[in-house]
Amino acid sequence: MESFDVVIIGSGLAGQSLALRLADRLRVALITKRTLEDSASAWAQGGIAAVLDPSDSVDAHVADTFDAGAGLCDPHATRFVVENSGRAIQWLIDRGVPFTRDPSTATGYHLTREGGHSHRRIIHAADATGAAVQQTLTEQLQSHPNITVLERHIAVDLIVGDKIGYPEAGCLGAYVLDIDSDHVLTVRGRHTVLATGGAGKVYVYTTNPDTATGDGIAMAWRAGCRVGNMEFIQFHPTCLYHPQAKSFLISEAVRGEGGVLRLPDGTRFMPAHDPRAELAPRDIVARAIDFEMKKRGLDCVFLDISHKSADFLQTHFPTIHARCMELGIDIAKQPIPVVPAAHYTCGGIVTDLDGRTDVPGLYAVGESTCTGLHGANRLASNSLLECVVFSEAIAATILAAPGQTPIPLPAWDESRVTDADEEIVISHNWEELRRAMWDYVGIVRTTKRLQRAQHRIRLLAREIHEYYSNFRVSNDLIELRNLVVTADLIVRSALQRKESRGLHFSRDFPDLLPKARNTVLRPRR
């Protein structure tokens, strides 16, 4: 057994920023499935939304967030995040994050604009903001004496008092598999934080890394936490369409800087779908592309920014420019083939403004949560902002709290399981689950499609539970177990919503109900 003051599961911006805020006073464990650099945060291109320019305002940023969120954003959570946006950015600047500078602006930094924003308020590091932030924080984490990093470790499940004979104890830590040794550790934490990211890998096509398997959401659900608004899965409109370009995102900032969407014959189509054209919120742009592709039988559409100079593109989008050139696409001369792909999980574990969940001693932060900020559709570049703002709030709460009293924890019990006789069951179920979700629970939904998905998911869940009960755990089995729970939560939530709002579009219920309501699921105790 290993014991820490705080156990943080997940190493993206949410987990890393929280660890650094706590480590000067507490012993922190940071658990990550791969390496510190492997997270969705590191893949973020566009930047971080914040009220920085004098011409911008908190009210304007809040209004844009509400508009994108289709009436479902929580006003207190939204204002809380936006009001703290400037301080969050300053914390990153103080840490040494190399945001792109522009001496001609009032802020001294270049601010770009993305879909749904009424002002230029996206601070960025060229077109690889997430990577710049992660690299900066990772270097500081690795040298901090109070932070223990457990790379290539995956949490199997949370240790909750009411499941080991201490019903008032709350969360006490987690069982964690060392992927290299196949040994399950018992990791005790006076406070435990889920910062595990989203669930994009529940779909066949996603912009997310392979680690985005809904682990935190599934573990929190099994531990007794509510989850909210899981039907709202954001599909990014522009994922690079190329057989060698797995999960490569074409940043929204390309459209923010004048990129236009075209059909194969060169016709621009977004003005026919929304007066904001390419700068409409992501759900509208994704549905428009989906509509055009299905109507015309297309494999992809094209994003054209070739009217900009090569120097401009290499300066503003060096990562995108270089990757496209590797694939034989010169974006200064030809349009970029793109398709929508699952991008962001807007719902998740229900928390308060201090990151607390329904289980004492358990917190959640980042994409795994439902804080009320994103509503029915996340506004571009609000996600990294949410990570930094809530990491500060959770740090303050943890530092002011005594934490759980140490309780004897049982070791992981493998006495009734054996080694798996074959792995084909896992890979087959993995493919079947993701294909069912893509076919039936995608950008446009119907009740019949959702019911078909639910039937298949429940059959798979029984198979996976039987497999989990009889064989020793592995990384793939843990992820599959979490994915099937997350898929079921998405479908159950979607079936409850009898309207089309934000990212949830149903052909059977195309209208908007007069009152916006959250979808909150409660686990059976």
Side-chain angles (χ1 to χ4, degrees), residues 176 215 447 491 513:
V176 178
D215 300 336
T447 300
V491 174
L513 290 176

Side-chain angles (χ1 to χ4, degrees), residues 101 111 116 256 263 470:
R101 293 184 175 272
L111 304 178
L263 299 173
N470 289 299

